[in-house]
Amino acid sequence: MELEAYVRGLPKAELHLHIEGTLEPELMFTLAERNGVDLPYRSADELRTAYEFTDLQSFLDIYYQGAGVLITEDDFADLMGAYLERAHADGVRHAEIFFDPQTHTERSIGFETFMAGFARAQQSAAERLGITSALIMCFLRHLPATEAAATLDAAGPYLDRIEAVGLDSSEAGFPPGLFAGVYAAARDRGLRAVAHAGEEGPPEYIRSALDDLGAERIDHGVRIVDDPDLLARVVRDQVPLTVCPLSNIKLRVFDTMADHNLTALLDAGAAVTINSDDPAYFGGYIGDNYLAAARDLELSRADLAQVARNSIVATFLPDDRKAALLTELDAFAR
Ligand code: HPA
Ligand code: ZN
């Protein structure tokens, strides 16, 4: 079997995916027209050429601007539906999907609108394609923790449709400890916890995400290699790392794919997973991320199957569903 068919065929889970980061330029233009929103670009192609990033913040500025075209329940349903179709085509059986409520509530678009749109597309994809999904509500860390707490309150009526809380946006200067209170409140309400840490921030932020937030997975986490003791702990406890190779190159976390430390993390025994982060902005969906890592880091098929296995084990799915997916993976990868 060709490498590409193998990669796309591997049964896998996606655990690091921002739904607002799946907004393709073409859909952005369609929604802008539908909603009468002016975009400062003349075409989808011209917009694509603006996707030259120097770091996380240079991306976030464009990403928040793009999300401004998302207004109606249908917009959120179309966005979610398009992602789930693509994920299904890449062998994703289950996705745990970030959304940024504050990006929408600050524009007076409420939970009732985006949650209804998401739910409609999630149900439809589950019925038509068999792909299941869960939602992770992220707090924007560049905004005060009091606003994160207000967001958790606003989510109250929808908590049965939210699996976990997460933490994203500008990392440096916004340590996880700022959000210890709102994470404790979220965990008290039955939510699981993950957090972005160690993308641009230091290993100390990863330790704080684990100790102060109770994070069960670390999103990105690649800078953990700067702290061998912490890496040893994450290997011992098999704390999953949701690594996003194409994102890391686009945002200059590593100069080239050949410089990426994914292989070192895998060789150390870390529970590495491969994910797409913001695929509409970074040049590829999850299958492209597996492929880029396979080609440039010379991952073997056994390595790729191990990464897919890690992704299934790292989900928040019940044990019986995990076991069924692992059986399916073993049958494919044998
Ligand atoms: N890091 C932090 N915040 C984000 C990202 C990311 O990679 N993508 C979307 N929001
Ligand atoms: Zn991310």
Side-chain angles (χ1 to χ4, degrees):
M1 193 187 300
E2 294 287 340
L3 178 63
E4 182 159 352
Y6 180 81
V7 154
R8 297 200 202 278
L10 271 175
K12 60 178 78 65
E14 177 144 63
L15 304 175
H16 188 152
L17 179 283
H18 302 263
I19 196 64
E20 293 87 356
T22 68
L23 180 55
E24 291 287 342
E26 288 74 18
L27 182 58
M28 198 188 293
F29 269 82
T30 301
L31 298 186
E33 190 154 321
R34 192 153 98 185
N35 295 324
V37 175
D38 272 333
L39 290 174
Y41 305 95
R42 273 169 306 184
S43 67
D45 283 339
E46 186 182 315
L47 176 55
R48 264 203 187 83
T49 62
Y51 293 174
E52 283 294 334
F53 311 117
T54 51
D55 58 8
L56 175 58
Q57 192 61 49
S58 66
F59 155 69
L60 290 170
D61 294 341
I62 286 198
Y63 161 84
Y64 293 131
Q65 180 187 68
V69 303
L70 297 163
I71 294 181
T72 67
E73 178 185 321
D74 280 351
D75 299 344
F76 290 96
D78 290 350
L79 182 71
M80 179 64 80
Y83 164 67
L84 290 170
E85 292 270 356
R86 289 194 184 243
H88 173 255
D90 274 353
V92 173
R93 301 297 194 269
H94 177 72
E96 297 182 352
I97 301 171
F98 298 131
F99 69 110
D100 287 339
Q102 288 157 290
T103 299
H104 312 305
T105 54
E106 72 164 12
R107 302 178 292 121
S108 303
I109 293 157
F111 275 81
E112 68 286 352
T113 300
F114 49 81
M115 292 303 284
F118 292 154
R120 178 144 55 84
Q122 288 177 278
Q123 277 159 19
S124 163
E127 284 161 18
R128 282 179 303 114
L129 309 171
I131 182 172
T132 58
S133 55
L135 294 174
I136 303 176
M137 176 170 75
C138 282
F139 303 121
L140 299 182
R141 68 203 302 165
H142 70 276
L143 298 176
T146 48
E147 294 189 22
T151 301
L152 180 61
D153 280 344
Y158 304 93
L159 289 186
D160 60 341
R161 287 196 250 146
I162 298 174
E163 185 74 27
V165 288
L167 188 65
D168 66 2
S169 194
S170 324
E171 185 181 7
F174 301 99
L178 295 171
F179 298 88
V182 67
Y183 265 70
R187 284 187 283 107
D188 277 349
R189 298 177 86 159
L191 297 175
R192 313 288 292 260
V194 302
H196 283 56
E199 178 185 19
E200 289 188 342
E204 193 45 48
Y205 284 19
I206 300 174
R207 185 177 283 108
S208 173
L210 297 170
D211 293 339
D212 302 328
L213 304 185
E216 299 171 74
R217 301 194 295 248
I218 297 294
D219 298 312
H220 293 297
V222 290
R223 290 198 58 193
I224 198 166
V225 293
D226 298 339
D227 186 335
D229 288 344
L230 186 60
L231 176 58
R233 168 182 169 186
V234 157
V235 169
R236 182 196 67 206
D237 296 345
Q238 287 292 287
V239 178
L241 303 178
T242 64
V243 176
C244 305
L246 290 173
S247 165
N248 291 155
I249 304 313
K250 281 283 187 190
L251 301 188
R252 314 256 186 104
V253 174
F254 300 95
D255 290 337
T256 71
M257 195 61 82
D259 300 314
H260 201 288
N261 65 15
L262 188 145
T263 317
L265 292 169
L266 262 186
D267 289 348
V272 173
T273 67
I274 290 180
N275 310 271
S276 66
D277 208 3
D278 301 284
Y281 293 90
F282 298 152
Y285 286 76
I286 189 171
D288 303 312
N289 275 272
Y290 271 72
L291 264 183
R295 290 190 173 132
D296 295 337
L297 301 171
E298 294 175 22
L299 297 191
S300 67
R301 293 190 183 203
D303 294 330
L304 295 166
Q306 180 65 46
V307 169
R309 165 171 285 274
N310 292 345
S311 76
I312 293 166
V313 172
T315 63
F316 294 134
L317 287 169
D319 287 343
D320 57 345
R321 177 93 196 286
K322 284 190 195 185
L325 289 175
L326 290 172
T327 301
E328 200 190 336
L329 171 63
D330 288 341
F332 178 87
R334 199 165 16 144

